[in-house]
Every structure is written in C-alpha cells, then in structure tokens.
C-alpha cells in the first residue's frame, strides 16, 4: 500500500470510529504537516457528514421498493441486476460511508493533482539605481533606489508587495483588482497613478495620488480614501492615517527630475537631492538655517549645486564623493 492510499484508509477509519489511538496520532501529525493536508481532511469529513445525514433522514423499505420496480419491468425481457441499498445498522453505515470516500475517488493523490499549484511571487530589486519597467499586465512601475517589489498575478487579482518607494501607473483591468501591500497597509486602486513610499523598517509610509483615487486600509481596519493631488501619512505605531493639507510637490522627483522648492530649508533641499541623485551633499553648520526658492527641471546635480551656491553665495568643496556647502549664516 502506498503512502497516499494509507492516508485515505486512515481517514476512513477515523471517520467511522475504527482508528486506533496510534493511527489517530499518525493522522493528526499528517494533518498538521501541511495546510493542504488539513484542507483535504476537511473535504473528506464534509462528504462523510453528508452521507451520514442521508442515512439519518431517509427511511424506506428497500425490499418493498425493489419488488415494485421488479414488477414494473417484468415481462420486458431485459435482464435486471439488483443494486445495493444503504445499510440500516448505524455502525455498518459508518463503515460503509467512510470506505465510500476511497471508492468514490476522493484519493489524496487525485486531490493533490487537481488543486491549483501555488503562484510563486516574482521579485524585482532596484538596488542603487532608479529602475523603470512594465509588469505583465502593462502596468508601468518606476522604482526608487533600494526598493524591492514582489508581484503575484492570478486570474482574479494583481498583487504587489513593496519595500521602498515606487510610482505605479496602472493598466486597467476591471476583472482583476490591483493591490499594493506595504508597511502593514493595503492600498487598493480606484484610479490610475499613485506613489508609495514605504522604507523597510520605518514606522511610517506616505502615499500620494497623481491621478484617480486609491483606498488605504490597515490591518486594524482603519481606512482612508485619497483623490488626485492628495497625500496621506500612515503611522504604524499608532495605526493612524494623516491626510496632508498640501501634497509634497517633489514626491515623484526621483522619476521626473523636476524639483519645486518654495522657501524650503536648505537642509530639506539637500536631503531631497541626495535621495534622488544618490549624492553625499552636506552643509556647514552656519548655513543650515538658510532657505531656498527655486525650480529645477531635469538638471544635472552639478548644475543644481552651482545654481544653489550662486543664489546663496556659498562655497563648494569636494573630496572623494563628498560635497560640502559652506558660507555665512543666513538672516
């Protein structure tokens, strides 16, 4: 007897009350070994219960019924083979129903063959570069540096797990909803284009909607809907969504290379530039209080540094990969 046939026999004996304590222990270990084992056992148990219900609710004189059928067809010259009838003794019926699970073809081997194989997620990582690519459904994704996504597409759903930052420009598919899972938050698309910033290990994440709408919900059932031009911060430790009064105009600068700074602190400007260009710009203590108003459109980092230094009358020194801005204190 092979392993799979033995499992079917164990299940049949357990359901009919004939399994020994050792067999029950073996069956329990098998059920706990894998989720599909437990699912198979529950399927067999449900079928057994249905058969048992038939025995409990249906009562008839099988011999009388057979004699009537035999009389109706008598004289037709056709051979007749008498079928079995359900056992009337409850113990015998339980044995019959349990063994029928095997005879009916509900074998574990067939069950494993018929259940769909799990879909393995596809991993994509941007590492030190900004990567742009298309998913199999033509959804366009731009990944910021040090970002990882794992996408799983089935016939019913499109799912992406994100660690880092990425811009999603979705391809419409009404039959397959698009979901992004990041930092304990589920983001469901109601529109087309949105940006998600969820650095691994951080307590917070930020979502900005460029087109359409998205719905965000946490594992504790907090939720919020964002429309075009809106942005929300999620604090994981407090399980709280905070909608921003003004969306960050530079949220997607890593993709567009367009920066709009309105009286922004020089420290915030440098932080954004380092993030987008992967540079190591630092400020002397004296100029940390300086502010800048400027717009940069697809400029090189060297051009931007030159414009900032000329605007604020700063000096620029370079050593290895380090860039230091220095100058007099701003009023």
């Amino acid at each position: 007897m092979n392993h799979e046939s033995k499992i079917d026999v164990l299940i049949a004996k357990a359901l009919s009350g004939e399994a020994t304590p050792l067999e029950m222990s073996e069956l329990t270990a098998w059920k706990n070994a894998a989720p599909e084992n437990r699912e198979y056992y529950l399927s067999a148990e449900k079928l057994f219960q249905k058969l048992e219900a038939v025995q409990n609710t249906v009562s008839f004189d099988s011999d009388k019924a057979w004699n009537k059928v035999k009389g109706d067809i008598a004289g037709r010259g056709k051979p007749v083979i008498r079928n079995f009838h359900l056992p009337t003794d409850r113990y015998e019926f339980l044995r019959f129903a349990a063994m029928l699970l095997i005879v009916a073809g509900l074998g574990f081997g067939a069950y494993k063959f018929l259940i769909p194989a799990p879909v393995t997620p596809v991993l994509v990582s941007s590492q030190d570069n900004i990567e742009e690519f298309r998913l199999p459904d033509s959804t366009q994704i731009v990944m910021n540096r040090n970002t990882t996504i794992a996408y799983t597409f089935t016939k019913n759903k499109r799912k992406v797990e994100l660690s880092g930052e990425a811009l999603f420009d979705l391809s419409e598919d009404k039959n397959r909803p698009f979901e992004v899972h990041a930092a304990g938050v589920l983001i469901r698309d109601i529109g087309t284009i949105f940006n998600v910033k969820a650095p691994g290990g951080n307590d917070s994440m930020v979502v900005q909607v460029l087109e359409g709408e998205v719905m965000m919900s946490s594992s504790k059932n907090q939720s919020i809907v964002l429309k075009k031009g809106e942005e929300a911060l999620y604090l994981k430790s407090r399980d709280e969504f905070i909608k921003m009064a003004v969306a960050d105009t530079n949220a997607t600068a890593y993709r567009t290379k367009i920066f709009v700074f309105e009286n922004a602190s020089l420290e915030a400007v440098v932080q954004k530039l380092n993030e987008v260009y992967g540079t190591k710009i630092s400020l002397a203590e004296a100029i940390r209080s300086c502010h800048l108003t400027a717009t940069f459109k697809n400029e090189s980092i060297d051009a931007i540094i030159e414009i900032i230094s000329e605007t604020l009358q700063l000096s620029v020194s370079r050593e290895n990969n380090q860039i230091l801005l220095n100058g007099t204190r701003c009023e």
Side-chain angles (χ1 to χ4, degrees):
M1 179 184 296
N2 62 37
H3 175 71
E4 292 171 353
S5 298
K6 183 179 179 181
I7 290 300
D8 290 324
V9 171
L10 279 177
I11 293 174
K13 293 179 73 173
L15 293 176
S16 62
E18 292 187 318
T20 65
L22 181 60
E23 288 172 330
M24 288 299 297
S25 177
E26 184 179 351
L27 180 61
T28 299
W30 175 81
K31 286 192 296 182
N32 294 334
E36 59 266 26
N37 293 358
R38 180 171 178 79
E39 185 178 348
Y40 172 72
Y41 176 82
L42 293 175
S43 299
E45 186 179 47
K46 288 179 182 178
L47 178 56
F48 177 81
Q49 290 170 349
K50 289 180 180 179
L51 290 171
E52 187 179 13
V54 171
Q55 195 266 349
N56 290 334
T57 59
V58 177
S59 177
F60 63 93
D61 188 333
S62 59
D63 288 330
K64 183 177 179 180
W66 166 250
N67 289 331
K68 183 179 184 304
V69 172
K70 185 169 65 174
D72 289 342
I73 64 176
R76 297 183 183 179
K78 296 181 179 179
V80 177
I81 300 175
R82 182 171 178 175
N83 293 320
F84 65 86
H85 57 272
L86 295 176
T88 55
D89 179 80
R90 178 172 178 77
Y91 176 73
E92 288 299 323
F93 178 83
L94 292 177
R95 295 185 62 192
F96 163 78
M99 296 310 298
L100 185 60
L101 295 175
I102 300 174
V103 178
L106 191 66
F108 182 59
Y111 176 81
K112 289 198 299 181
F113 178 77
L114 292 174
I115 60 174
V119 179
T120 303
V122 178
L123 297 176
V124 180
S125 178
S126 62
Q127 299 182 353
D128 293 331
N129 301 310
I130 296 173
E131 300 287 352
E132 184 171 349
F133 68 99
R134 290 185 181 273
L135 295 178
D137 67 335
S138 295
T139 288
Q140 185 174 350
I141 296 183
V142 181
M143 299 168 61
N144 204 348
R145 290 180 174 83
N146 303 314
T147 295
T148 301
I149 70 166
Y151 67 87
T152 306
F153 283 11
T154 66
K155 64 179 182 179
N156 298 320
K157 184 171 63 175
R158 297 171 291 170
K159 175 183 175 182
V160 171
E161 297 181 60
L162 168 71
S163 176
E165 182 174 16
L167 178 75
F168 296 86
D169 188 348
L170 301 190
S171 174
E172 184 177 2
D173 188 341
K174 296 181 179 179
N175 296 321
R176 293 193 299 169
F178 197 100
E179 296 180 352
V180 177
H181 296 251
V185 173
L186 169 61
I187 305 166
R188 292 187 179 92
D189 165 59
I190 313 176
T192 53
I193 306 176
F194 55 95
N195 191 78
V196 182
K197 185 175 183 179
N202 283 21
D203 176 61
S204 63
M205 67 169 295
V206 179
V207 174
Q208 184 183 56
V209 180
L210 283 70
E211 295 289 343
E213 300 179 13
V214 300
M215 175 182 292
M216 301 168 61
S217 57
S218 70
S219 58
K220 297 181 180 179
N221 297 321
Q222 298 295 323
S223 63
I224 189 173
V225 174
L226 298 178
K227 298 181 179 180
K228 177 180 178 180
E230 293 183 331
E231 178 179 319
L233 169 70
Y234 173 70
L235 298 176
K236 190 174 182 179
S237 58
R238 292 159 50 180
D239 189 34
E240 181 181 2
F241 290 103
I242 302 173
K243 186 178 289 189
M244 306 296 191
V246 179
D248 181 7
T249 55
N250 299 313
T252 60
Y254 68 92
R255 176 199 178 214
T256 64
K257 296 299 189 295
I258 297 176
F259 302 87
V260 179
F261 298 114
E262 294 287 345
N263 196 34
S265 70
L266 193 56
E267 195 167 11
V269 171
V270 166
Q271 181 180 352
K272 176 60 68 172
L273 294 176
N274 285 336
E275 176 186 312
V276 172
Y277 289 96
T279 50
K280 296 180 180 179
I281 306 171
S282 58
L283 300 174
E285 188 64 33
I287 61 173
R288 288 185 179 276
S289 60
C290 295
H291 285 67
L292 177 72
T293 296
T295 299
F296 305 106
K297 294 184 178 181
N298 204 28
E299 302 279 359
S300 68
I301 186 61
D302 289 333
I304 292 175
I305 291 174
E306 184 178 350
I307 293 171
I308 291 176
S309 62
E310 289 181 357
T311 302
L312 299 178
Q313 299 299 305
L314 306 177
S315 64
V316 181
S317 59
R318 303 172 186 266
E319 184 175 350
N320 296 326
N321 294 326
Q322 304 285 334
I323 301 174
L324 176 64
L325 299 181
N326 202 348
T328 58
R329 184 178 303 275
C330 298
E331 298 297 333

CSV table of all heavy atoms in Angstrom, one decimal, residues 193-215:
chain,number,residue,atom,x,y,z
A,193,ILE,N,-2.8,56.5,-11.2
A,193,ILE,CA,-1.4,56.8,-10.9
A,193,ILE,C,-1.2,57.2,-9.4
A,193,ILE,O,-1.9,58.1,-9.0
A,193,ILE,CB,-0.8,57.9,-11.8
A,193,ILE,CG1,-1.0,57.5,-13.3
A,193,ILE,CG2,0.7,58.1,-11.6
A,193,ILE,CD1,-0.6,58.6,-14.3
A,194,PHE,N,-0.3,56.5,-8.7
A,194,PHE,CA,-0.1,56.9,-7.3
A,194,PHE,C,1.4,56.5,-7.0
A,194,PHE,O,2.0,55.6,-7.5
A,194,PHE,CB,-1.1,56.3,-6.4
A,194,PHE,CG,-1.2,54.8,-6.4
A,194,PHE,CD1,-0.4,54.0,-5.6
A,194,PHE,CD2,-2.0,54.2,-7.4
A,194,PHE,CE1,-0.5,52.6,-5.7
A,194,PHE,CE2,-2.1,52.8,-7.4
A,194,PHE,CZ,-1.4,52.0,-6.6
A,195,ASN,N,1.9,57.2,-5.9
A,195,ASN,CA,3.3,56.9,-5.5
A,195,ASN,C,3.2,56.4,-4.0
A,195,ASN,O,2.5,57.0,-3.2
A,195,ASN,CB,4.1,58.2,-5.5
A,195,ASN,CG,5.6,58.0,-5.3
A,195,ASN,OD1,6.3,57.5,-6.2
A,195,ASN,ND2,6.1,58.3,-4.1
A,196,VAL,N,4.0,55.4,-3.8
A,196,VAL,CA,4.1,54.8,-2.4
A,196,VAL,C,5.5,54.9,-1.9
A,196,VAL,O,6.4,54.4,-2.6
A,196,VAL,CB,3.6,53.4,-2.4
A,196,VAL,CG1,3.6,52.8,-1.0
A,196,VAL,CG2,2.2,53.3,-3.0
A,197,LYS,N,5.7,55.4,-0.7
A,197,LYS,CA,7.0,55.5,-0.1
A,197,LYS,C,6.9,54.8,1.2
A,197,LYS,O,6.3,55.2,2.2
A,197,LYS,CB,7.5,56.9,0.1
A,197,LYS,CG,8.9,57.0,0.6
A,197,LYS,CD,9.4,58.5,0.7
A,197,LYS,CE,10.8,58.6,1.2
A,197,LYS,NZ,11.3,60.0,1.2
A,198,ALA,N,7.5,53.6,1.3
A,198,ALA,CA,7.4,52.7,2.5
A,198,ALA,C,8.8,52.1,2.7
A,198,ALA,O,9.0,50.9,2.5
A,198,ALA,CB,6.3,51.7,2.3
A,199,PRO,N,9.7,52.8,3.2
A,199,PRO,CA,11.1,52.3,3.5
A,199,PRO,C,11.0,51.1,4.5
A,199,PRO,O,10.3,51.2,5.5
A,199,PRO,CB,11.8,53.5,4.1
A,199,PRO,CG,11.1,54.7,3.6
A,199,PRO,CD,9.6,54.3,3.6
A,200,GLY,N,11.7,50.1,4.2
A,200,GLY,CA,11.7,48.9,5.1
A,200,GLY,C,12.2,49.3,6.5
A,200,GLY,O,13.2,50.0,6.6
A,201,GLY,N,11.5,48.8,7.5
A,201,GLY,CA,11.9,49.1,8.9
A,201,GLY,C,11.4,50.4,9.5
A,201,GLY,O,11.5,50.6,10.7
A,202,ASN,N,10.9,51.3,8.7
A,202,ASN,CA,10.4,52.6,9.2
A,202,ASN,C,9.0,52.4,9.7
A,202,ASN,O,8.2,51.5,9.4
A,202,ASN,CB,10.3,53.6,8.0
A,202,ASN,CG,11.7,54.1,7.7
A,202,ASN,OD1,12.7,53.5,8.1
A,202,ASN,ND2,11.8,55.3,7.1
A,203,ASP,N,8.6,53.3,10.6
A,203,ASP,CA,7.3,53.3,11.3
A,203,ASP,C,6.3,53.9,10.4
A,203,ASP,O,5.1,53.7,10.6
A,203,ASP,CB,7.4,54.0,12.6
A,203,ASP,CG,6.1,54.1,13.3
A,203,ASP,OD1,5.5,53.1,13.6
A,203,ASP,OD2,5.6,55.3,13.5
A,204,SER,N,6.7,54.7,9.4
A,204,SER,CA,5.7,55.5,8.6
A,204,SER,C,5.8,55.2,7.1
A,204,SER,O,6.8,54.6,6.7
A,204,SER,CB,5.9,57.0,8.8
A,204,SER,OG,7.2,57.4,8.4
A,205,MET,N,4.7,55.5,6.4
A,205,MET,CA,4.7,55.4,5.0
A,205,MET,C,3.9,56.5,4.4
A,205,MET,O,3.1,57.1,5.1
A,205,MET,CB,4.2,54.1,4.5
A,205,MET,CG,2.7,53.9,4.8
A,205,MET,SD,2.0,52.5,3.9
A,205,MET,CE,2.1,53.0,2.3
A,206,VAL,N,4.2,56.9,3.2
A,206,VAL,CA,3.4,58.0,2.5
A,206,VAL,C,2.9,57.6,1.2
A,206,VAL,O,3.6,57.0,0.4
A,206,VAL,CB,4.4,59.3,2.4
A,206,VAL,CG1,3.6,60.4,1.7
A,206,VAL,CG2,4.9,59.7,3.7
A,207,VAL,N,1.7,58.0,0.9
A,207,VAL,CA,1.1,57.7,-0.4
A,207,VAL,C,0.6,59.0,-1.0
A,207,VAL,O,-0.1,59.8,-0.3
A,207,VAL,CB,-0.1,56.7,-0.3
A,207,VAL,CG1,-0.8,56.5,-1.6
A,207,VAL,CG2,0.4,55.3,0.2
A,208,GLN,N,0.9,59.2,-2.3
A,208,GLN,CA,0.4,60.4,-3.0
A,208,GLN,C,-0.3,60.0,-4.2
A,208,GLN,O,0.3,59.1,-5.0
A,208,GLN,CB,1.6,61.3,-3.3
A,208,GLN,CG,1.2,62.7,-3.9
A,208,GLN,CD,2.4,63.5,-4.3
A,208,GLN,OE1,3.2,63.1,-5.0
A,208,GLN,NE2,2.4,64.7,-3.8
A,209,VAL,N,-1.4,60.6,-4.5
A,209,VAL,CA,-2.2,60.2,-5.7
A,209,VAL,C,-2.0,61.3,-6.8
A,209,VAL,O,-2.3,62.5,-6.5
A,209,VAL,CB,-3.7,60.1,-5.3
A,209,VAL,CG1,-4.5,59.7,-6.6
A,209,VAL,CG2,-3.9,59.0,-4.3
A,210,LEU,N,-1.6,60.9,-7.9
A,210,LEU,CA,-1.4,61.8,-9.0
A,210,LEU,C,-2.6,61.8,-10.0
A,210,LEU,O,-2.9,62.9,-10.6
A,210,LEU,CB,-0.1,61.5,-9.8
A,210,LEU,CG,1.2,61.9,-9.2
A,210,LEU,CD1,1.5,61.0,-8.0
A,210,LEU,CD2,2.3,61.8,-10.2
A,211,GLU,N,-3.2,60.7,-10.1
A,211,GLU,CA,-4.4,60.6,-11.0
A,211,GLU,C,-5.4,59.6,-10.3
A,211,GLU,O,-5.0,58.6,-9.8
A,211,GLU,CB,-4.1,60.1,-12.4
A,211,GLU,CG,-3.3,61.1,-13.2
A,211,GLU,CD,-4.0,62.3,-13.6
A,211,GLU,OE1,-5.2,62.3,-13.6
A,211,GLU,OE2,-3.3,63.3,-14.0
A,212,GLY,N,-6.7,59.9,-10.4
A,212,GLY,CA,-7.7,59.0,-9.9
A,212,GLY,C,-7.8,58.9,-8.4
A,212,GLY,O,-7.6,60.0,-7.7
A,213,GLU,N,-8.1,57.8,-7.8
A,213,GLU,CA,-8.3,57.6,-6.4
A,213,GLU,C,-7.7,56.3,-5.9
A,213,GLU,O,-7.5,55.4,-6.7
A,213,GLU,CB,-9.7,57.6,-6.0
A,213,GLU,CG,-10.5,58.9,-6.3
A,213,GLU,CD,-12.0,58.8,-5.9
A,213,GLU,OE1,-12.3,57.8,-5.1
A,213,GLU,OE2,-12.8,59.6,-6.3
A,214,VAL,N,-7.3,56.3,-4.6
A,214,VAL,CA,-6.9,55.0,-4.0
A,214,VAL,C,-7.5,54.9,-2.6
A,214,VAL,O,-7.8,55.9,-2.0
A,214,VAL,CB,-5.3,54.8,-3.9
A,214,VAL,CG1,-4.6,54.9,-5.2
A,214,VAL,CG2,-4.8,55.9,-2.9
A,215,MET,N,-7.7,53.7,-2.2
A,215,MET,CA,-8.2,53.4,-0.8
A,215,MET,C,-7.1,52.7,0.0
A,215,MET,O,-6.5,51.7,-0.5
A,215,MET,CB,-9.5,52.6,-0.8
A,215,MET,CG,-10.0,52.2,0.6
A,215,MET,SD,-11.4,51.1,0.5
A,215,MET,CE,-12.6,52.3,-0.2
